[in-house]
Short mmCIF file of all heavy atoms in Angstrom, two decimals:
data_model
loop_
_atom_site.label_atom_id
_atom_site.label_comp_id
_atom_site.label_asym_id
_atom_site.label_seq_id
_atom_site.Cartn_x
_atom_site.Cartn_y
_atom_site.Cartn_z
N LEU A 115 51.02 9.07 -72.20
CA LEU A 115 50.86 10.52 -72.37
C LEU A 115 52.14 11.27 -72.00
O LEU A 115 52.37 12.38 -72.45
CB LEU A 115 49.71 11.03 -71.49
CG LEU A 115 48.29 10.99 -72.08
CD1 LEU A 115 47.90 9.62 -72.54
CD2 LEU A 115 47.28 11.52 -71.09
N PRO A 119 55.58 12.22 -75.82
CA PRO A 119 56.27 13.50 -76.04
C PRO A 119 57.70 13.50 -75.51
O PRO A 119 58.58 14.14 -76.11
CB PRO A 119 55.40 14.51 -75.28
CG PRO A 119 54.50 13.74 -74.40
CD PRO A 119 54.37 12.38 -74.98
N LEU A 146 43.16 10.91 -74.03
CA LEU A 146 43.46 12.00 -74.98
C LEU A 146 42.19 12.72 -75.41
O LEU A 146 42.19 13.94 -75.57
CB LEU A 146 44.15 11.42 -76.22
CG LEU A 146 45.58 10.93 -75.99
CD1 LEU A 146 46.07 10.14 -77.21
CD2 LEU A 146 46.53 12.10 -75.73
N ILE A 149 40.76 15.84 -73.81
CA ILE A 149 41.31 17.17 -74.15
C ILE A 149 40.40 17.76 -75.24
O ILE A 149 40.27 17.15 -76.31
CB ILE A 149 42.76 17.05 -74.68
CG1 ILE A 149 43.65 16.42 -73.61
CG2 ILE A 149 43.29 18.40 -75.13
CD1 ILE A 149 45.05 16.06 -74.09
N PRO A 150 39.77 18.91 -74.98
CA PRO A 150 38.83 19.45 -75.96
C PRO A 150 39.46 19.55 -77.36
O PRO A 150 40.56 20.09 -77.50
CB PRO A 150 38.47 20.83 -75.41
CG PRO A 150 38.71 20.71 -73.95
CD PRO A 150 39.86 19.75 -73.78
N GLY A 151 38.77 18.97 -78.34
CA GLY A 151 39.20 19.06 -79.74
C GLY A 151 40.16 17.98 -80.20
O GLY A 151 40.37 17.80 -81.39
N PHE A 152 40.78 17.25 -79.28
CA PHE A 152 41.84 16.30 -79.67
C PHE A 152 41.26 15.21 -80.56
O PHE A 152 40.32 14.51 -80.19
CB PHE A 152 42.48 15.67 -78.42
CG PHE A 152 43.81 15.02 -78.71
CD1 PHE A 152 44.99 15.63 -78.33
CD2 PHE A 152 43.89 13.79 -79.38
CE1 PHE A 152 46.22 15.04 -78.60
CE2 PHE A 152 45.12 13.20 -79.66
CZ PHE A 152 46.28 13.83 -79.27
N ASN A 153 41.85 15.05 -81.74
CA ASN A 153 41.34 14.10 -82.73
C ASN A 153 42.23 12.85 -82.77
O ASN A 153 43.38 12.92 -83.21
CB ASN A 153 41.31 14.79 -84.11
CG ASN A 153 40.79 13.87 -85.19
OD1 ASN A 153 40.23 12.80 -84.90
ND2 ASN A 153 40.95 14.28 -86.44
N THR A 164 51.85 13.84 -89.20
CA THR A 164 52.01 14.38 -87.83
C THR A 164 53.30 13.83 -87.20
O THR A 164 54.03 14.57 -86.53
CB THR A 164 50.77 14.04 -86.97
OG1 THR A 164 49.62 14.41 -87.70
CG2 THR A 164 50.79 14.77 -85.65
N THR A 168 55.91 16.54 -86.13
CA THR A 168 55.92 16.77 -84.68
C THR A 168 56.81 15.77 -83.95
O THR A 168 57.19 16.00 -82.80
CB THR A 168 54.46 16.66 -84.14
OG1 THR A 168 53.60 17.35 -85.03
CG2 THR A 168 54.32 17.22 -82.76
N CYS A 170 55.76 12.84 -83.21
CA CYS A 170 54.92 11.91 -82.46
C CYS A 170 53.46 12.12 -82.86
O CYS A 170 53.04 13.24 -83.16
CB CYS A 170 55.13 12.24 -80.98
SG CYS A 170 53.86 11.75 -79.88
N ALA A 171 52.70 11.05 -82.90
CA ALA A 171 51.25 11.17 -83.10
C ALA A 171 50.60 10.01 -82.34
O ALA A 171 51.20 8.94 -82.21
CB ALA A 171 50.89 11.12 -84.57
N MET A 172 49.40 10.25 -81.85
CA MET A 172 48.71 9.23 -81.05
C MET A 172 47.30 9.06 -81.59
O MET A 172 46.49 9.98 -81.49
CB MET A 172 48.69 9.64 -79.58
CG MET A 172 50.07 9.66 -78.97
SD MET A 172 50.05 10.04 -77.20
CE MET A 172 50.27 11.79 -77.27
N VAL A 275 44.94 13.11 -67.47
CA VAL A 275 45.65 14.06 -68.33
C VAL A 275 46.35 15.10 -67.45
O VAL A 275 47.53 15.41 -67.65
CB VAL A 275 44.68 14.74 -69.33
CG1 VAL A 275 45.35 15.91 -70.04
CG2 VAL A 275 44.18 13.73 -70.36
N VAL A 279 50.36 15.79 -67.26
CA VAL A 279 50.96 17.11 -67.49
C VAL A 279 51.82 17.51 -66.29
O VAL A 279 52.95 18.01 -66.45
CB VAL A 279 49.87 18.17 -67.79
CG1 VAL A 279 50.47 19.57 -67.85
CG2 VAL A 279 49.15 17.86 -69.10
N LEU A 282 54.97 15.77 -66.67
CA LEU A 282 55.81 16.42 -67.69
C LEU A 282 56.43 17.72 -67.16
O LEU A 282 57.44 18.19 -67.67
CB LEU A 282 54.98 16.72 -68.95
CG LEU A 282 54.64 15.49 -69.81
CD1 LEU A 282 53.51 15.79 -70.79
CD2 LEU A 282 55.88 15.02 -70.58
N LEU A 328 57.29 18.78 -72.05
CA LEU A 328 55.99 19.44 -71.93
C LEU A 328 55.68 20.22 -73.20
O LEU A 328 54.56 20.18 -73.72
CB LEU A 328 55.99 20.39 -70.72
CG LEU A 328 54.68 21.15 -70.52
CD1 LEU A 328 53.56 20.21 -70.09
CD2 LEU A 328 54.84 22.27 -69.50
N ASN A 329 56.70 20.92 -73.70
CA ASN A 329 56.51 21.68 -74.93
C ASN A 329 56.13 20.77 -76.09
O ASN A 329 55.27 21.08 -76.91
CB ASN A 329 57.81 22.44 -75.23
CG ASN A 329 57.56 23.52 -76.24
OD1 ASN A 329 56.48 24.11 -76.26
ND2 ASN A 329 58.54 23.75 -77.10
N LYS A 330 56.75 19.59 -76.13
CA LYS A 330 56.41 18.62 -77.19
C LYS A 330 54.96 18.17 -77.04
O LYS A 330 54.25 18.01 -78.03
CB LYS A 330 57.39 17.43 -77.12
CG LYS A 330 57.21 16.40 -78.18
CD LYS A 330 57.38 16.95 -79.58
CE LYS A 330 58.82 17.22 -79.95
NZ LYS A 330 58.95 17.75 -81.32
N PHE A 331 54.51 17.99 -75.83
CA PHE A 331 53.11 17.57 -75.63
C PHE A 331 52.16 18.65 -76.14
O PHE A 331 51.17 18.36 -76.80
CB PHE A 331 52.85 17.24 -74.15
CG PHE A 331 51.53 16.52 -73.91
CD1 PHE A 331 51.11 15.47 -74.71
CD2 PHE A 331 50.70 16.90 -72.86
CE1 PHE A 331 49.90 14.80 -74.50
CE2 PHE A 331 49.49 16.24 -72.63
CZ PHE A 331 49.10 15.19 -73.46
N ARG A 332 52.50 19.91 -75.86
CA ARG A 332 51.69 21.03 -76.39
C ARG A 332 51.61 20.95 -77.91
O ARG A 332 50.55 21.10 -78.50
CB ARG A 332 52.34 22.37 -76.03
CG ARG A 332 52.17 22.83 -74.62
CD ARG A 332 52.77 24.24 -74.49
NE ARG A 332 51.95 25.19 -75.21
CZ ARG A 332 51.17 26.08 -74.63
NH1 ARG A 332 51.13 26.17 -73.32
NH2 ARG A 332 50.44 26.90 -75.35
N GLN A 333 52.78 20.69 -78.54
CA GLN A 333 52.81 20.61 -80.01
C GLN A 333 51.94 19.47 -80.53
O GLN A 333 51.24 19.61 -81.53
CB GLN A 333 54.24 20.40 -80.50
CG GLN A 333 55.15 21.59 -80.36
CD GLN A 333 56.61 21.21 -80.69
OE1 GLN A 333 56.88 20.23 -81.37
NE2 GLN A 333 57.54 21.98 -80.18
N VAL A 334 52.02 18.33 -79.85
CA VAL A 334 51.22 17.16 -80.29
C VAL A 334 49.73 17.48 -80.16
O VAL A 334 48.94 17.20 -81.06
CB VAL A 334 51.58 15.90 -79.46
CG1 VAL A 334 50.67 14.72 -79.85
CG2 VAL A 334 53.02 15.52 -79.64
N ILE A 335 49.35 18.09 -79.04
CA ILE A 335 47.93 18.43 -78.84
C ILE A 335 47.47 19.36 -79.96
O ILE A 335 46.44 19.15 -80.60
CB ILE A 335 47.71 19.09 -77.45
CG1 ILE A 335 48.04 18.11 -76.32
CG2 ILE A 335 46.26 19.58 -77.32
CD1 ILE A 335 47.99 18.73 -74.93
N GLN A 336 48.30 20.38 -80.23
CA GLN A 336 47.94 21.34 -81.27
C GLN A 336 47.84 20.67 -82.64
O GLN A 336 46.88 20.89 -83.39
CB GLN A 336 49.02 22.44 -81.33
CG GLN A 336 48.72 23.53 -82.32
CD GLN A 336 48.91 24.90 -81.69
OE1 GLN A 336 49.81 25.08 -80.87
NE2 GLN A 336 48.07 25.83 -82.05
N ALA A 337 48.82 19.80 -82.94
CA ALA A 337 48.84 19.14 -84.25
C ALA A 337 47.61 18.26 -84.45
O ALA A 337 47.17 18.04 -85.57
CB ALA A 337 50.11 18.31 -84.39
N GLN A 338 47.06 17.73 -83.34
CA GLN A 338 45.90 16.85 -83.48
C GLN A 338 44.58 17.57 -83.14
O GLN A 338 43.59 16.93 -82.84
CB GLN A 338 46.11 15.58 -82.63
CG GLN A 338 47.29 14.77 -83.18
CD GLN A 338 47.37 13.34 -82.71
OE1 GLN A 338 48.45 12.87 -82.39
NE2 GLN A 338 46.26 12.61 -82.65
N GLY A 339 44.61 18.89 -83.23
CA GLY A 339 43.37 19.66 -83.13
C GLY A 339 42.90 19.96 -81.72
O GLY A 339 41.81 20.50 -81.52
N GLY A 340 43.70 19.61 -80.71
CA GLY A 340 43.30 19.84 -79.32
C GLY A 340 43.67 21.22 -78.82
O GLY A 340 44.36 21.99 -79.51
N ASP A 341 43.22 21.52 -77.62
CA ASP A 341 43.48 22.82 -77.00
C ASP A 341 44.77 22.75 -76.19
O ASP A 341 44.78 22.20 -75.08
CB ASP A 341 42.28 23.16 -76.09
CG ASP A 341 42.52 24.45 -75.30
OD1 ASP A 341 43.55 25.12 -75.53
OD2 ASP A 341 41.67 24.76 -74.45
N PRO A 342 45.88 23.30 -76.72
CA PRO A 342 47.16 23.17 -76.00
C PRO A 342 47.21 23.94 -74.70
O PRO A 342 48.07 23.68 -73.84
CB PRO A 342 48.19 23.70 -77.01
CG PRO A 342 47.43 24.56 -77.94
CD PRO A 342 46.02 24.07 -77.97
N GLU A 343 46.28 24.90 -74.54
CA GLU A 343 46.29 25.71 -73.30
C GLU A 343 45.96 24.88 -72.07
O GLU A 343 46.18 25.33 -70.94
CB GLU A 343 45.30 26.88 -73.42
CG GLU A 343 45.59 27.85 -74.55
CD GLU A 343 47.03 28.35 -74.55
OE1 GLU A 343 47.55 28.67 -73.47
OE2 GLU A 343 47.65 28.38 -75.64
N ILE A 344 45.44 23.67 -72.27
CA ILE A 344 45.08 22.84 -71.09
C ILE A 344 46.31 22.56 -70.22
O ILE A 344 46.18 22.27 -69.04
CB ILE A 344 44.39 21.50 -71.46
CG1 ILE A 344 45.31 20.60 -72.29
CG2 ILE A 344 43.05 21.72 -72.14
CD1 ILE A 344 45.87 19.45 -71.57
N VAL A 345 47.50 22.64 -70.81
CA VAL A 345 48.68 22.30 -70.00
C VAL A 345 48.94 23.36 -68.92
O VAL A 345 49.63 23.09 -67.94
CB VAL A 345 49.96 22.04 -70.84
CG1 VAL A 345 49.72 21.00 -71.91
CG2 VAL A 345 50.55 23.30 -71.42
N GLU A 346 48.39 24.56 -69.12
CA GLU A 346 48.52 25.59 -68.07
C GLU A 346 47.20 25.80 -67.34
O GLU A 346 47.20 26.10 -66.15
CB GLU A 346 48.97 26.93 -68.68
CG GLU A 346 50.34 26.89 -69.36
CD GLU A 346 51.45 26.37 -68.46
OE1 GLU A 346 51.31 26.43 -67.22
OE2 GLU A 346 52.46 25.87 -69.01
N LEU A 351 39.83 21.66 -69.12
CA LEU A 351 39.48 20.24 -69.25
C LEU A 351 38.11 20.01 -68.61
O LEU A 351 37.70 20.79 -67.75
CB LEU A 351 40.52 19.37 -68.52
CG LEU A 351 41.90 19.24 -69.17
CD1 LEU A 351 42.91 18.68 -68.18
CD2 LEU A 351 41.82 18.35 -70.42
#
Side-chain angles (χ1 to χ4, degrees):
L115 273 56
L146 289 169
I149 300 171
F152 197 104
N153 180 12
T164 311
T168 316
C170 158
M172 294 184 267
V275 169
V279 172
L282 286 164
L328 179 69
N329 196 33
K330 183 59 75 180
F331 192 44
R332 283 185 70 107
Q333 288 172 22
V334 176
I335 296 174
Q336 183 132 36
Q338 295 196 222
D341 175 5
E343 300 309 317
I344 63 106
V345 306
E346 298 306 337
L351 287 165

